[in-house]
Amino acid sequence: GDSVTQMEGPVTLSEEAFLTINCTYTATGYPSLFWYVQYPGEGLQLLLKATKADDKGSNKGFEATYRKETTSFHLEKGSVQVSDSAVYFCALSEGGGTSYGKLTFGQGTILTVHP
Amino acid sequence: NAGVTQTPKFQVLKTGQSMTLQCAQDMNHEYMSWYRQDPGMGLRLIHYSVGAGITDQGEVPNGYNVSRSTTEDFPLRLLSAAPSQTSVYFCASSFDGAGNEKLFFGSGTQLSVL
């Protein structure tokens, strides 16, 4: 079945540092890929998405490119802020109109940014 | 808009007790789902629904029941709580079933089973 693997955490950075969180996936067909973020005490919210190969999703300074050849969707940000401290989840859904609102999630990566 | 509303936010149960986690959405979404979140395991799908009257099992359905009598509501029932069901539970909804649109999540229910 489909699966998503994220880099081991937690990740601790200083403010303005460069961030990369690795994500690789296994799926049949042509999945859509997502990054969700969970701030303390809250539910998940969509950060960015890409629905086909070579698409780049971006939002709030975060970027990720859908790489079919390496089955990857790594999250990057050039300069993190303390307010970016959260848990980040990589996820996929089946493409082709059959996902029915279901996602397969990675295990999550805890990011802590210090001033 | 309220979005996706879950109640209660916290619950403590004794082994063998039953309870219902409530989930309601006001966005007229057809697709709703329940996930559990455990440390180091991400979110795992328990049950999902593609519309009123239609439900199906996800990855970890054992010990849970669902029903979908209306578009708005999708309650999750624990029939006989076990310590292994200690987790944080999230309800989610989406408008599109094709996999291209985002899920809207509730704020979660933290459940402890003693």
Side-chain angles (χ1 to χ4, degrees):
Chain A
D2 297 347
S3 66
V4 176
T5 301
Q6 289 180 232
M7 66 182 292
E8 294 292 329
V11 175
T12 303
L13 296 173
S14 298
E15 205 164 27
E16 300 183 0
F18 184 84
L19 169 70
T20 299
I21 301 177
N22 290 339
C23 171
T24 58
Y25 67 90
T26 302
T28 56
Y30 302 95
S32 295
L33 300 175
F34 306 84
W35 277 100
Y36 279 80
V37 60
Q38 183 181 30
Y39 298 104
E42 299 182 8
L44 281 71
Q45 46 186 281
L46 180 66
L47 180 60
L48 53 84
K49 69 176 183 181
T51 58
K52 61 183 187 295
D54 300 324
D55 269 1
K56 176 184 285 187
S58 62
N59 186 27
K60 300 181 181 180
F62 290 90
E63 293 183 339
T65 301
Y66 188 168
R67 302 287 189 197
K68 189 168 176 63
E69 64 275 14
T70 55
T71 61
S72 64
F73 193 55
H74 305 321
L75 182 68
E76 296 183 338
K77 186 176 185 182
S79 177
V80 294
Q81 305 300 311
V82 172
S83 57
D84 294 326
S85 298
V87 184
Y88 292 82
F89 292 93
C90 186
L92 67 80
S93 68
E94 297 175 24
T98 61
S99 75
Y100 306 133
K102 300 178 292 178
L103 292 180
T104 298
F105 285 89
Q107 66 268 43
T109 300
I110 300 171
L111 171 66
T112 302
V113 181
H114 293 297
Chain B
N1 277 346
V4 179
T5 303
Q6 287 184 239
T7 56
K9 289 190 179 300
F10 302 94
Q11 183 71 49
V12 179
L13 292 178
K14 294 182 180 179
T15 297
Q17 287 185 315
S18 63
M19 78 158 296
T20 300
L21 280 62
Q22 301 292 344
C23 175
Q25 52 91 10
D26 62 358
M27 298 172 284
N28 202 32
H29 286 172
E30 289 294 326
Y31 302 93
M32 297 186 74
S33 48
W34 277 101
Y35 292 84
R36 59 178 288 173
Q37 182 182 22
D38 301 294
M41 301 187 73
L43 278 75
R44 293 179 292 168
L45 182 66
I46 305 171
H47 285 285
Y48 66 100
S49 170
V50 301
I54 306 170
T55 64
D56 205 348
Q57 297 180 352
E59 180 184 355
V60 287
N62 292 340
Y64 307 95
N65 273 1
V66 292
S67 60
R68 185 95 179 272
S69 57
T70 67
T71 298
E72 294 78 20
D73 299 300
F74 190 44
L76 178 73
R77 297 182 184 85
L78 281 70
L79 307 175
S80 177
S84 60
Q85 294 179 304
T86 294
S87 187
V88 181
Y89 292 84
F90 289 100
C91 179
S93 73
S94 65
F95 176 75
D96 180 81
N100 297 327
E101 298 299 324
K102 68 179 180 180
L103 295 188
F104 291 80
F105 283 84
S107 57
T109 295
Q110 186 169 322
L111 175 68
S112 295
V113 182
L114 306 178

Short mmCIF file of all heavy atoms in Angstrom, two decimals, chain A residues 24-25 33 52-55 65-73:
data_model
loop_
_atom_site.label_atom_id
_atom_site.label_comp_id
_atom_site.label_asym_id
_atom_site.label_seq_id
_atom_site.Cartn_x
_atom_site.Cartn_y
_atom_site.Cartn_z
N THR A 24 9.85 11.21 1.53
CA THR A 24 9.78 10.33 0.38
C THR A 24 8.51 9.50 0.47
O THR A 24 7.96 9.31 1.56
CB THR A 24 11.00 9.39 0.29
OG1 THR A 24 11.09 8.63 1.49
CG2 THR A 24 12.29 10.18 0.09
N TYR A 25 8.05 9.02 -0.65
CA TYR A 25 6.79 8.30 -0.66
C TYR A 25 6.86 7.06 -1.54
O TYR A 25 7.72 6.94 -2.42
CB TYR A 25 5.65 9.22 -1.15
CG TYR A 25 5.76 9.61 -2.60
CD1 TYR A 25 5.16 8.84 -3.59
CD2 TYR A 25 6.48 10.74 -2.98
CE1 TYR A 25 5.27 9.19 -4.93
CE2 TYR A 25 6.60 11.09 -4.32
CZ TYR A 25 6.00 10.31 -5.28
OH TYR A 25 6.12 10.65 -6.61
N LEU A 33 0.44 15.32 -3.43
CA LEU A 33 1.31 15.41 -2.26
C LEU A 33 1.03 16.69 -1.49
O LEU A 33 0.75 17.73 -2.09
CB LEU A 33 2.78 15.37 -2.69
CG LEU A 33 3.20 14.11 -3.44
CD1 LEU A 33 4.64 14.23 -3.93
CD2 LEU A 33 3.06 12.87 -2.57
N LYS A 52 0.93 17.21 -9.40
CA LYS A 52 1.55 16.43 -10.46
C LYS A 52 3.06 16.66 -10.46
O LYS A 52 3.57 17.61 -9.87
CB LYS A 52 0.96 16.76 -11.82
CG LYS A 52 1.13 18.20 -12.27
CD LYS A 52 0.44 18.40 -13.60
CE LYS A 52 0.72 19.78 -14.17
NZ LYS A 52 0.16 20.86 -13.34
N ALA A 53 3.75 15.75 -11.15
CA ALA A 53 5.21 15.78 -11.17
C ALA A 53 5.74 17.13 -11.64
O ALA A 53 5.18 17.74 -12.56
CB ALA A 53 5.73 14.66 -12.07
N ASP A 54 6.80 17.59 -10.95
CA ASP A 54 7.51 18.85 -11.22
C ASP A 54 6.76 20.08 -10.74
O ASP A 54 7.28 21.20 -10.85
CB ASP A 54 7.88 19.00 -12.69
CG ASP A 54 8.78 17.88 -13.18
OD1 ASP A 54 9.63 17.43 -12.38
OD2 ASP A 54 8.61 17.44 -14.32
N ASP A 55 5.55 19.91 -10.20
CA ASP A 55 4.85 21.05 -9.60
C ASP A 55 5.59 21.50 -8.35
O ASP A 55 6.13 20.68 -7.61
CB ASP A 55 3.42 20.65 -9.19
CG ASP A 55 2.42 20.90 -10.28
OD1 ASP A 55 2.81 21.35 -11.37
OD2 ASP A 55 1.23 20.62 -10.03
N THR A 65 8.90 20.66 -3.98
CA THR A 65 8.74 20.28 -5.39
C THR A 65 8.46 18.79 -5.50
O THR A 65 9.17 17.98 -4.90
CB THR A 65 9.99 20.65 -6.19
OG1 THR A 65 10.23 22.06 -6.08
CG2 THR A 65 9.83 20.28 -7.66
N TYR A 66 7.47 18.44 -6.26
CA TYR A 66 7.05 17.06 -6.50
C TYR A 66 8.04 16.42 -7.47
O TYR A 66 8.03 16.71 -8.66
CB TYR A 66 5.64 17.10 -7.08
CG TYR A 66 4.90 15.81 -7.25
CD1 TYR A 66 3.55 15.84 -7.55
CD2 TYR A 66 5.49 14.56 -7.16
CE1 TYR A 66 2.81 14.67 -7.73
CE2 TYR A 66 4.78 13.40 -7.34
CZ TYR A 66 3.43 13.46 -7.63
OH TYR A 66 2.71 12.31 -7.81
N ARG A 67 8.89 15.52 -6.97
CA ARG A 67 9.91 14.86 -7.79
C ARG A 67 9.54 13.41 -7.97
O ARG A 67 9.72 12.58 -7.07
CB ARG A 67 11.28 14.95 -7.11
CG ARG A 67 11.76 16.35 -6.82
CD ARG A 67 12.19 17.06 -8.07
NE ARG A 67 12.85 18.34 -7.78
CZ ARG A 67 13.02 19.29 -8.67
NH1 ARG A 67 12.56 19.14 -9.91
NH2 ARG A 67 13.65 20.41 -8.34
N LYS A 68 9.00 13.10 -9.14
CA LYS A 68 8.57 11.72 -9.38
C LYS A 68 9.77 10.78 -9.52
O LYS A 68 9.71 9.62 -9.10
CB LYS A 68 7.68 11.65 -10.62
CG LYS A 68 7.01 10.30 -10.82
CD LYS A 68 5.95 10.38 -11.88
CE LYS A 68 5.33 9.02 -12.15
NZ LYS A 68 4.66 8.50 -10.94
N GLU A 69 10.85 11.27 -10.09
CA GLU A 69 12.00 10.39 -10.34
C GLU A 69 12.66 9.92 -9.05
O GLU A 69 13.23 8.84 -9.00
CB GLU A 69 13.01 11.09 -11.23
CG GLU A 69 13.66 12.35 -10.65
CD GLU A 69 12.83 13.61 -10.84
OE1 GLU A 69 11.63 13.52 -11.20
OE2 GLU A 69 13.40 14.70 -10.61
N THR A 70 12.57 10.76 -7.99
CA THR A 70 13.14 10.37 -6.70
C THR A 70 12.06 10.09 -5.67
O THR A 70 12.37 9.85 -4.50
CB THR A 70 14.08 11.48 -6.17
OG1 THR A 70 13.35 12.72 -6.10
CG2 THR A 70 15.29 11.65 -7.06
N THR A 71 10.81 10.11 -6.08
CA THR A 71 9.63 9.94 -5.20
C THR A 71 9.80 10.75 -3.92
O THR A 71 9.70 10.22 -2.80
CB THR A 71 9.34 8.47 -4.89
OG1 THR A 71 10.46 7.88 -4.20
CG2 THR A 71 9.06 7.69 -6.15
N SER A 72 10.05 12.05 -4.09
CA SER A 72 10.31 12.89 -2.94
C SER A 72 9.49 14.18 -3.00
O SER A 72 9.02 14.60 -4.08
CB SER A 72 11.79 13.24 -2.85
OG SER A 72 12.19 14.01 -3.97
N PHE A 73 9.32 14.80 -1.83
CA PHE A 73 8.58 16.06 -1.72
C PHE A 73 9.15 16.80 -0.50
O PHE A 73 8.47 17.02 0.48
CB PHE A 73 7.08 15.76 -1.57
CG PHE A 73 6.18 16.95 -1.75
CD1 PHE A 73 6.23 17.74 -2.88
CD2 PHE A 73 5.23 17.27 -0.78
CE1 PHE A 73 5.39 18.82 -3.05
CE2 PHE A 73 4.37 18.35 -0.94
CZ PHE A 73 4.45 19.12 -2.07
#
